[in-house]
């Protein structure tokens, strides 16, 4: 045995063995304990929407997004684009460019350093996406989902505040509202909680309450006009896609909750036969939907009541809920959506939406062949009190 | 170590049941002697060799081999172009441990072996670049370096030209006389067997065979029975010594070629 | 000197040259060894996070050297995170995969006396992949995947050589290779059956895995491939001179004193183990086991004492290089298995065309 080992360490054998030995040693090095990011010397504790508290280094050096994220909600909540150091990949940039926040804060869209063009689409490699935000040096990362878990496993400060992550905290409700069966069915869940987290993050928690109050006031106004409890008929509505919306406040019924038949398969839709259908998606076209021969048996198609849901920047917002309500109950409500939208954006961001931009947000062109959408156009003449463009 | 290097008793083999290649063979090969195996193609020479080498388990009978064997095959097809030294080094398989590599001593022994046969200059050449005779010598060197006591060759001269045939036959004799190796070889050339072998075995088919001293067994009658042709035993004188060789008599040419015919006085 | 003359042994014209003192003998293992280590460190510099070569080298050396890490390290926590958690596992995975495939391909070629075979041709890769997808279908833990992959590989190997034995062919004949092709095709069909049976959650990951990829590498996967590859490879390394004997043919090897039957099955089992561990962590990466031994043979000759380590190191360089290419240059990551097929098939065609002129079966 000894002789054998002594033969192994002859120069010629050793020369061949050496690289293999090195590789084995390097592989063994992976067994070491994982590195851990130290807690910063000065930090503040911020609690995220999933209930996890994070140490955020002070002073706030910057905020980076963990993939995949878009900064719309953050910008709406905080009005602080200057704190961002990294946002996302090129595909996220395209998505952002279609939203309202890219008009209000065009510098975020134009700033190349915030976007990584090398990954033009997210790969299935989780680590490739984490590497990119690591290259920046923010005080905190904002994110949602599995990258958060991976980044937290090495001790990075990742805060969850997105509208689709969380709901583990106690819901913030408008006064007098019932608690929804699922936390994201009412806007208080996906909007208020992230609002509080974001405001806390940038060190201005006082920003949250006024917004919440004005929001609840708008909702109250809508309820005052609509009087949902006195509605004789509530249209049955099919919302295609994930968004479940705020149906009670808009005075409609979610047909999928009623029958508990999920999905939007053509056959299932025929069974449910809703009064109104809302489709979504980048290329969704109500015209095509209504022209589809498979769907001619639907009541909603016959009545031309297929709409493209105005997701964009107004989902869950008072303008969005009012939009749904105005389609469902035009006789009770004045056409105020455009004005509401315009006023709110001016008062919150100081930005004046143009008529074209409002058209885009409300999908006026796509919905032009559907019933009851004239009131959303800028040249609406149905009512005498409300004027149109300005 | 006994005086008998190789012996087999009642040896017989049948590839298919009932179809015996050969049966009831007995022989003893004395240590340090040269033993020739003769027989026409298909009579089982290679089968007998394989049985002796342990590469084949004979259907009946027993083979007793006292000592290490080395084999020189008739044809060597090597897929990869090993160098001559690599080929000879492979003969050290028994000396090199299972999980070891050949040491400097092994390589020296290989070079010495090549040197012995006078082909040390070819050590770095690829094996396939050598001529048939040189390759034969390389395999001899490999057999020698394995420190075998028994050398078994399969038709060592069949693929060689005249010069190399003589070289190889001389080496067989040297290895036996100088190094004390026991040599067994098969051949198609009875005069080769007569020239070098001490003992011979003629495979006459089935269970018939003739075995014994080469000078006795390689008689005209036996060879006629073996090959079906006429061979004449011819004595000749060379450097004051009397030798014998076998010459074939061609049935037609010997009658037709008048310039060679002389009436008996 | 063209003819062998009966030389008196006392007159020796050649000096004993030790192959290892030749300049070429030292250069190649040194270059390859250093090359692989440099490639590993250089690969750690590829990625979105900026990392210099010197820094990466420093971190790797400290990670590899036994002993605790320094208290005041010359690197930041982010840098060591990027190296230790994100990049090093993937780099090691590619290196070990290339190493394993190179060594096992060479051993297989030596055993089957045919320079145009590889683990994928003999059916081992397909068998191991079948075992892997079966384990994925049954939602087994990673240890189960590698275990089933090994069983699948051994099963395929046994089928191939059993079929060859039934048709009385040696390990070196075309019949064996054909048997390998058939067995491989059969297991590929079984894999398709499993893909059909898989549910929607399992199917995409199965398909992606089958393409051969190092994505999602972590320390556990490195352990899964390192242990069998390094241990099996070490054993194969000790047997590498015996491969020379086996490559002569069964009869010659037996008469020289090698235990052909046992050796053959041991080597096949080791090859199967190494290939199975590679397939289990990274899917089917084919053609490397065929091309790399050829290139290694062109570099250092056919003697397996030099060939086997060279093929291992060349394989590591090749696969690591391809993985770096797909990580760095391509915007969309092409699975490594696809790249090796795209590169390997033309190279094999070229080698086949060249060999028809010379004939690699020398007489």
């Amino acid at each position: 045995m000894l002789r054998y080992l002594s033969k192994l360490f002859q120069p010629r054998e050793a020369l061949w063995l050496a690289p293999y030995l090195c590789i084995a040693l390097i592989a063994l090095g992976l067994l070491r304990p994982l590195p851990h990011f130290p807690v910063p010397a000065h930090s503040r504790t911020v609690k995220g929407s999933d209930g996890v508290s994070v140490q955020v280094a002070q002073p706030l050096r910057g905020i980076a997004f963990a993939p995949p994220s878009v900064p719309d909600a953050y910008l709406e909540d905080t009005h602080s684009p200057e704190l961002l150091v990294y946002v996302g990949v090129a595909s996220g940039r395209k998505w952002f460019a279609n939203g309202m926040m890219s008009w209000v804060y065009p510098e975020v869209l134009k700033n190349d350093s915030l976007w990584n063009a090398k990954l033009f689409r997210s790969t299935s490699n989780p680590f490739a996406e984490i590497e990119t935000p690591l290259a920046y040096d923010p005080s905190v990362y904002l994110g949602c989902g599995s990258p958060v878990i991976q980044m937290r496993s090495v001790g990075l400060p990742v805060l969850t505040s997105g509208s689709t992550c969380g709901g583990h905290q106690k819901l913030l409700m408008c006064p007098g509202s019932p608690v929804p069966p699922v936390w994201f069915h009412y806007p208080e869940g996906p909007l208020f909680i992230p609002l509080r987290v974001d405001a806390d993050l940038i060190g201005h928690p006082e920003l949250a309450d006024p917004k919440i109050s004005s929001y609840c006031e708008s909702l109250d106004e809508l309820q005052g006009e609509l009087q949902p409890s006195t509605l004789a008929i509530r249209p049955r509505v099919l919302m295609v896609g994930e968004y479940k919306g705020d149906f009670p406040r808009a005075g409609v019924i979610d047909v999928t909750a009623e029958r508990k038949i999920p999905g939007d398969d053509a056959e299932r839709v025929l069974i449910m036969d809703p009064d109104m259908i809302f489709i979504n998606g980048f290329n969704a076209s109500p015209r095509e939907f209504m022209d589809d021969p498979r769907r001619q048996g639907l009541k909603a198609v016959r009545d031309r009541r297929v709409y493209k849901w105005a997701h964009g920047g107004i989902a869950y917002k008072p303008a969005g809920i009012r939009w749904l309500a105005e389609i469902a109950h035009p006789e009770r409500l004045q056409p105020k959506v455009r004005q509401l939208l315009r006023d709110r954006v001016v008062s919150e961001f100081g930005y004046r939406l143009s008529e074209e931009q409002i058209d885009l947000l409300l999908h006026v062109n796509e919905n032009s062949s559907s019933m009851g959408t004239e009131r959303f156009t800028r040249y609406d003449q149905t009512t005498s009190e409300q004027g149109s463009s300005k | 170590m006994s005086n008998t290097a190789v012996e087999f008793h009642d040896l017989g083999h049948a590839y298919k049941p009932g179809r015996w290649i050969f049966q009831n063979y007995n022989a003893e090969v004395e240590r340090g002697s040269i033993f020739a195996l003769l027989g026409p193609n298909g009579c089982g020479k290679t089968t007998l060799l394989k049985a002796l080498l342990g590469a084949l388990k004979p259907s009946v009978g027993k083979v007793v081999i006292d000592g290490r064997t080395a084999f020189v095959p008739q044809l060597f097809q090597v897929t990869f172009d090993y160098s001559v030294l690599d080929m000879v080094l492979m003969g050290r398989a028994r000396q090199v441990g299972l999980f070891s590599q050949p040491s400097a001593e092994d390589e020296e022994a290989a070079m010495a072996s090549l040197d012995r046969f006078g082909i040390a200059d070819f050590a770095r050449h690829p094996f396939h670049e050598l001529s048939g005779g040189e390759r034969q010598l390389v395999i001899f060197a490999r057999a020698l370096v394995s420190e075998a006591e028994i050398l078994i060759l399969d038709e060592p001269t069949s693929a060689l030209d005249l010069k190399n045939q003589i070289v190889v036959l001389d080496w067989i004799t040297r290895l036996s006389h100088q190094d004390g190796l026991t040599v067994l070889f098969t051949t198609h050339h009875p005069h080769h067997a007569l020239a070098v072998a001490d003992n011979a075995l003629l495979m006459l088919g089935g269970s018939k065979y003739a075995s014994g001293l080469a000078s006795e067994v390689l008689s005209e009658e036996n060879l006629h029975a073996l090959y079906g042709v006429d061979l004449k035993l011819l004595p000749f004188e060379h450097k004051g010594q009397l030798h014998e060789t076998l010459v074939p008599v061609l049935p037609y040419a010997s009658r037709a070629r008048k310039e060679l015919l002389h009436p008996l006085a | 000197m063209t003819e062998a003359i009966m030389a008196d042994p006392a007159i020796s014209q050649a000096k004993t040259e030790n192959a290892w003192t030749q300049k070429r003998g030292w250069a190649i293992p040194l270059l390859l060894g250093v090359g692989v280590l440099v490639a590993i460190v250089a690969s750690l510099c590829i990625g979105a996070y900026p990392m210099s070569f010197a820094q990466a080298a420093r971190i790797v050396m400290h990670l590899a050297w036994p002993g605790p890490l320094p208290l005041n390290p010359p690197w930041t926590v982010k840098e060591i995170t990027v190296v230790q958690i994100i990049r090093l596992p993937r780099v090691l995975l590619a290196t070990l995969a290339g190493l394993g495939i190179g060594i096992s391909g060479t051993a297989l070629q030596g055993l089957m006396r045919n320079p145009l075979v590889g683990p994928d041709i003999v059916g081992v890769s397909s068998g191991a992949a079948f075992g892997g997808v079966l384990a994925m279908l049954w939602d087994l833990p990673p240890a189960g995947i590698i275990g089933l992959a090994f069983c699948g590989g051994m099963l395929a190997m046994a089928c191939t050589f059993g079929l060859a034995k039934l048709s009385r062919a040696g390990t070196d004949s075309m019949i064996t290779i054909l048997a390998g092709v058939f067995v491989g095709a059969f297991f590929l069909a079984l894999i398709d059956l499993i893909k059909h049976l898989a549910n929607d959650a399992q199917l995409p990951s199965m398909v992606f895995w089958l393409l051969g990829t190092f994505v999602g590498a972590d320390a556990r996967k490195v352990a899964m491939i390192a242990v069998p590859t390094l241990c099996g490879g070490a054993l194969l390394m000790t047997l590498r001179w015996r491969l020379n004997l086996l490559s002569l043919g069964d009869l010659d090897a037996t008469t020289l004193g090698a235990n052909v039957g046992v050796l053959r099955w041991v080597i096949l089992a080791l090859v199967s183990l190494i290939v199975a561990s590679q397939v289990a962590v990274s899917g089917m990466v084919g053609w490397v086991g065929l091309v790399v031994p050829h290139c290694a043979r062109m570099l250092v000759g056919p003697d397996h004492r030099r060939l086997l380590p060279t093929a291992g190191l060349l394989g590591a360089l090749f696969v690591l290089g391809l993985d770096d290419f797909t990580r760095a240059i391509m915007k969309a990551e092409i699975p490594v298995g696809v790249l090796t097929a795209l590169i390997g098939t033309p190279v094999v065609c070229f080698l086949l065309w060249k060999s028809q002129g010379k004939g690699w079966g020398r007489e």
Side-chain angles (χ1 to χ4, degrees), chain B residues 16-32:
Chain B
K16 289 198 174 96
R19 305 265 306 269
W20 291 95
I21 312 280
F22 56 85
Q23 271 180 313
N24 297 327
Y25 273 30
N26 294 287
E28 279 182 15
V29 180
E30 209 183 299
R31 192 170 298 283

Side-chain angles (χ1 to χ4, degrees), chain C residues 7-193:
Chain C
D8 192 356
I11 306 170
S12 173
Q13 300 211 358
K15 352 184 253 299
T16 301
E17 276 180 330
N18 194 335
W20 304 103
T21 57
Q22 279 184 6
K23 191 155 176 276
R24 196 156 164 260
W26 283 106
I28 291 194
L30 193 68
L31 274 176
L32 277 180
V34 169
V36 167
L37 294 175
V38 164
I40 290 180
V41 176
S43 308
L44 290 172
C45 306
I46 297 177
Y49 191 88
M51 166 96 48
S52 72
F53 186 88
Q55 194 73 321
R58 229 171 270 140
I59 296 179
V60 167
M61 277 200 286
H62 278 101
L63 280 177
W65 195 258
L69 291 178
L71 284 171
N72 272 331
W75 55 72
T76 67
V77 184
K78 277 207 183 143
E79 284 173 338
I80 193 170
T81 301
V82 164
V83 168
Q84 189 178 345
I85 299 181
I86 300 182
R87 292 182 191 169
L88 190 59
R90 177 155 179 168
V91 166
L92 276 179
L93 207 65
T95 308
L96 288 166
L99 212 115
I101 302 175
I103 292 184
S104 51
T106 311
L108 212 57
Q109 286 182 3
L111 196 65
M112 295 182 66
R113 300 173 68 197
N114 189 337
L116 283 179
V117 299
D120 27 334
I121 294 191
V122 169
V124 186
S125 299
S126 315
F130 167 67
V133 288
L134 199 63
M136 283 187 194
L137 185 72
W138 291 335
D139 284 322
L140 294 180
I145 296 185
I146 195 178
L148 266 184
F150 175 64
C151 293
M154 281 303 287
L155 181 66
M157 192 83 93
C159 287
T160 304
F161 287 96
L163 260 180
K165 196 155 181 213
L166 270 180
S167 32
R168 291 177 182 275
T171 45
D172 48 331
S173 77
M174 288 307 287
I175 306 259
T176 312
I177 297 174
L178 277 177
V181 171
F182 295 148
V183 168
F186 179 72
F187 277 101
L188 283 177
L190 282 178
I191 291 175
D192 283 336
L193 176 67

Side-chain angles (χ1 to χ4, degrees), chain B residues 79 82 96 115 118 124 134, chain C residues 1-2 12 17 242 247 360:
Chain B
T79 310
Y82 294 110
V96 174
D115 208 20
R124 300 265 162 253
E134 289 155 350
Chain C
M1 192 161 107
T2 53
S12 173
E17 276 180 330
R242 299 269 150 184
S247 75
W360 38 256

Side-chain angles (χ1 to χ4, degrees), chain A residues 214-280:
Chain A
S214 85
Y215 188 100
C216 293
E217 275 169 30
S218 294
L219 284 182
D220 281 339
E221 258 186 56
L222 175 61
Q223 300 298 282
E225 252 189 86
L226 183 62
Q227 301 285 332
S229 48
T230 66
L231 283 172
I233 302 169
R234 290 165 189 257
R236 292 166 56 251
V237 156
L238 173 64
M239 194 75 73
V240 173
E242 297 160 2
Y243 177 72
K244 285 303 151 199
D246 194 339
F247 298 135
R249 289 205 179 100
V252 299
I253 297 173
D254 181 8
V255 84
T256 60
E258 172 193 279
R259 288 282 194 102
K260 299 204 178 8
I261 302 174
D264 52 276
D265 197 38
E267 285 181 11
R268 292 198 186 100
V269 176
L270 271 173
I271 296 172
M272 292 188 280
D273 209 13
D275 301 313
M276 298 196 285
I277 298 178
F278 291 85
I279 57 178
N280 67 349

Side-chain angles (χ1 to χ4, degrees), chain A residues 27-38:
Chain A
L28 279 176
L30 282 182
L31 289 176
R32 289 181 186 274
L34 294 180
H36 212 84
F37 285 83

Side-chain angles (χ1 to χ4, degrees), chain B residues 69-83:
Chain B
T69 58
F71 179 56
V72 177
Q74 184 179 10
L75 298 163
F76 351 103
Q77 273 180 333
V78 190
T79 310
F80 305 111
D81 49 350
Y82 294 110
S83 71

